[in-house]
Amino acid sequence: MALCVELHPVNPQPRLLAQAAEVLRGGGLLVYPTDTCYALGCTVAARESQDRLRRIRQLDLQHDLSLLFSSISQLTDYAQLDDRAYALLRRILPGPYTFILPATRDVPRRLADPKKRSIGVRIPASPLCEGLIAELGEPLMSSTLQLPGASAPLTDPDEICKTMGNQVDMVLLSGLGGVRCSTVVDLLQWPPRLLREGAGDPAALGLGAVV
């Protein structure tokens, strides 16, 4: 049974963040809260945990996983930003948005869309996420904690611990989770294209003709 721990949403306990980061460095798979929904997460190098994540969610290899970062400077190691994209991300993030961007040459092929060489990136407005990723020192591969056949993500901490305790290595809890995922925006073209409306208000992007 995985360890289920409660973290403060604004001032997460450093000891627990360090413990979670150590689990991740060991190749583990976590459940953790974001600024939108609870999610499953592991490191970029943890291929076995990525496979476990896909089995839990019943995702095929064509389904891209998002990368979560603690800052735009960390993000630029994995995604290419032109001046317009940089200005947009700097204005809108952190927040409940996922942006599709061109992957850098250093991103392994298995992590990027094989045709477009693109990746989905997020910087959540969550002190817990920021603290965890900063402690880890690298991004998290992430996918919403929505089980096959379910109409919405898991939200209740007790249910999450009971349901996921035997499937992951650690569960980080911080109250009820949300049911709306991030808003997804394609920045591979300009003007950008709205792919999914979620918790982030598309109007806040201030782009006018986002379609």
Side-chain angles (χ1 to χ4, degrees):
M1 186 73 177
L3 177 65
C4 296
V5 297
E6 187 80 22
L7 285 88
H8 193 281
V10 178
N11 297 299
Q13 301 89 316
R15 174 181 60 84
L16 296 178
L17 292 178
Q19 186 176 358
E22 192 61 30
V23 170
L24 289 166
R25 290 190 195 99
L29 179 64
L30 298 187
V31 170
Y32 66 101
T34 73
D35 57 349
T36 54
C37 310
Y38 274 91
L40 293 156
C42 62
T43 65
V44 170
R47 300 189 69 162
E48 182 179 338
S49 283
Q50 291 168 35
D51 291 341
R52 289 165 61 195
L53 187 159
R54 291 183 184 278
R55 285 196 298 270
I56 290 170
R57 295 257 358 245
Q58 292 186 12
L59 303 175
D60 59 32
L61 292 175
Q62 280 66 51
H63 186 101
D64 293 334
L65 304 179
S66 297
L67 286 174
L68 268 64
F69 300 88
S70 61
S71 66
I72 293 178
S73 61
Q74 186 186 50
L75 181 155
T76 55
D77 289 334
Y78 293 80
Q80 301 177 47
L81 294 176
D82 62 21
D83 291 343
R84 292 176 300 186
Y86 177 80
L88 174 60
L89 266 61
R90 186 175 181 183
R91 180 173 60 80
I92 204 73
L93 297 177
Y97 300 89
T98 297
F99 291 100
I100 309 302
L101 287 163
T104 64
R105 296 178 181 177
D106 296 332
V107 173
R109 288 189 174 274
R110 63 186 173 84
L111 301 183
D113 182 294
K115 295 180 180 179
K116 297 180 180 178
R117 285 291 293 161
S118 61
I119 57 171
V121 301
R122 281 204 67 201
I123 301 178
S126 162
L128 194 156
C129 286
E130 181 181 3
L132 176 60
I133 297 169
E135 178 70 31
L136 181 62
E138 60 180 286
L140 275 178
M141 296 204 70
S142 182
S143 182
T144 302
L145 183 57
Q146 183 165 337
L147 299 182
S151 60
L154 291 176
T155 61
D156 180 76
D158 291 338
E159 182 184 5
I160 290 171
C161 193
K162 181 185 298 184
T163 302
M164 302 307 301
N166 291 321
Q167 302 187 67
V168 300
D169 301 296
M170 190 173 183
V171 178
L172 308 183
L173 301 170
S174 188
L176 287 175
V179 295
R180 298 192 75 193
C181 299
S182 62
T183 291
V184 181
V185 180
D186 183 355
L187 288 184
L188 298 175
Q189 59 182 38
W190 204 271
R193 185 163 59 102
L194 181 67
L195 300 182
R196 180 184 74 194
E197 185 171 350
D201 182 5
L205 297 167
L207 298 168
V210 178
V211 297

